Amino acid sequence: MACHFLIYTHPHLRLPPDPPLTLQPSSSSAASYCRQNLPTLNFHYKKGCNFYTRRKSVVCSMATENKVISGDRMLVFVPPHPLIKHWVSVLRNEQTPSPVFKNAMAELGRLLLYEASRDWLPTITGEIQSPMGIASVEFVDPREPVAIVPILRAGLALAEHATSILPATKTYHLGLSRNEETLQPSVYLNKLPDKFPEGSRVIVVDPMLATGGTIVAAIDLIKERGVDNSQIRVVCAVAAPPALTKLSEKFPRLLVYAGILDPTVNEKGFIIPGLGDAGDRSFGT
């Protein structure tokens, strides 16, 4: 089955528009993901080049320019910051106690929210008087707050620092639970507005993108309220192939920011190796 999303290991990239391309992956997780879960790809390693390719569409890339050209494909960003790797490692450890786990999730969320808001926030410019003279300035426009939608429960921990990272936000809680037998989601709390203002920017925060049922249901609810795919970004701690495939098939132009990509999901719908139940471990239940 063809894959219609790109995986980036650097947050500010320009993808050359005309495949075939060649990519040398910068992280073992991205390379492992491609090798194990995208069997239709034809990978080529070439010394001195910066990208992986396949005949029909690029799936992973690392480049150096500032603007991403994606067409209608979904983009998956895996920022290679050492602090992101550190906090993911803390989360992975089964010996990490609940308070430390929750703090690590919040710190990871802080970094990923920073990356997700890069080159995306509306700004206003002007001049102010500094102690030493007139200075040209640029502020985030408070008239256009970013909507933060944490998926309860675990999304609360990952989104904990959203209001300190982003100068203007509104938070809308969305509770979805997954049936452990069917793995299908059901909504138990919906605090979304009846209609989002035109042009709203929405960040959906869900630590674990495993089978994809919960995140797809959440984005469906947001889109029903007037938000385009290109105005939605997803922040997660760990993502796996089933969820990414569902998202890419249903929501072109969506952007996903992940701490790490894992290769598989087990029969119970848990990511392997993953980090366990993020909600239970965050809140000690």
Side-chain angles (χ1 to χ4, degrees):
M1 179 175 60
C3 178
H4 301 290
F5 58 90
L6 312 180
I7 303 172
Y8 287 87
T9 54
H10 195 278
H12 23 258
L13 316 167
R14 182 189 179 97
L15 178 69
D18 298 320
L21 307 173
T22 310
L23 168 72
Q24 179 68 34
S26 67
S27 70
S28 59
S29 60
S32 175
Y33 172 88
C34 292
R35 287 195 298 267
Q36 297 181 37
N37 298 284
L38 302 175
T40 61
L41 301 183
N42 297 315
F43 294 119
H44 306 282
Y45 296 89
K46 186 175 180 182
K47 185 176 181 180
C49 293
N50 291 329
F51 31 96
Y52 251 140
T53 68
R54 56 172 285 184
R55 291 184 183 275
K56 295 186 179 179
S57 69
V58 183
V59 293
C60 300
S61 69
M62 181 175 183
T64 56
E65 298 183 36
N66 292 328
K67 185 179 178 182
V68 171
I69 299 175
S70 63
D72 286 334
R73 291 167 291 187
M74 185 182 82
L75 304 183
V76 180
F77 293 85
V78 184
H81 198 293
L83 286 174
I84 289 177
K85 296 176 182 178
H86 169 81
W87 293 118
V88 168
S89 299
V90 173
L91 294 170
R92 290 239 203 242
N93 187 356
E94 67 175 359
Q95 301 300 319
T96 299
S98 179
V100 177
F101 183 94
K102 186 173 182 290
N103 179 72
M105 186 69 78
E107 292 301 324
L108 177 62
R110 185 202 300 272
L111 296 166
L112 292 173
L113 285 165
Y114 173 85
E115 296 293 352
S117 59
R118 183 191 297 271
D119 299 327
W120 197 46
L121 302 178
T123 60
I124 52 177
T125 59
E127 292 185 339
I128 59 170
Q129 178 70 49
S130 84
M132 303 303 293
I134 300 296
S136 297
V137 294
E138 185 172 359
F139 292 99
V140 172
D141 192 343
R143 298 168 298 181
E144 299 184 43
V146 175
I148 305 296
V149 182
I151 307 301
L152 307 187
R153 294 173 300 165
L156 292 173
L158 194 61
E160 183 173 321
H161 294 309
T163 56
S164 62
I165 288 291
L166 302 169
T169 62
K170 289 186 176 181
T171 301
Y172 302 96
H173 296 99
L174 187 58
L176 292 110
S177 59
R178 187 176 70 175
N179 185 297
E180 297 304 324
E181 294 182 359
T182 66
L183 304 182
Q184 295 303 307
S186 60
V187 178
Y188 64 86
L189 178 70
N190 184 350
K191 292 295 184 179
L192 298 176
D194 293 333
K195 187 79 172 178
F196 282 97
E198 184 176 355
S200 290
R201 295 165 174 82
V202 180
I203 299 179
V204 186
V205 183
D206 188 7
M208 310 300 288
L209 303 188
T211 63
T214 298
I215 190 65
V216 167
I219 295 176
D220 279 338
L221 289 170
I222 292 167
K223 285 179 59 62
E224 288 172 5
R225 289 156 172 80
V227 183
D228 184 74
N229 294 351
S230 61
Q231 292 295 96
I232 301 172
R233 299 192 174 187
V234 175
V235 166
C236 66
V238 187
L244 294 178
T245 299
K246 286 181 182 178
L247 288 172
S248 68
E249 290 173 349
K250 192 163 185 179
F251 306 115
R253 303 188 309 282
L254 184 73
L255 271 62
V256 177
Y257 291 79
I260 198 165
L261 304 182
D262 274 355
T264 190
V265 173
N266 68 14
E267 67 281 358
K268 294 183 178 180
F270 282 92
I271 298 175
I272 305 298
L275 46 84
D277 189 308
D280 286 353
R281 295 191 67 194
S282 291
F283 298 102
T285 56

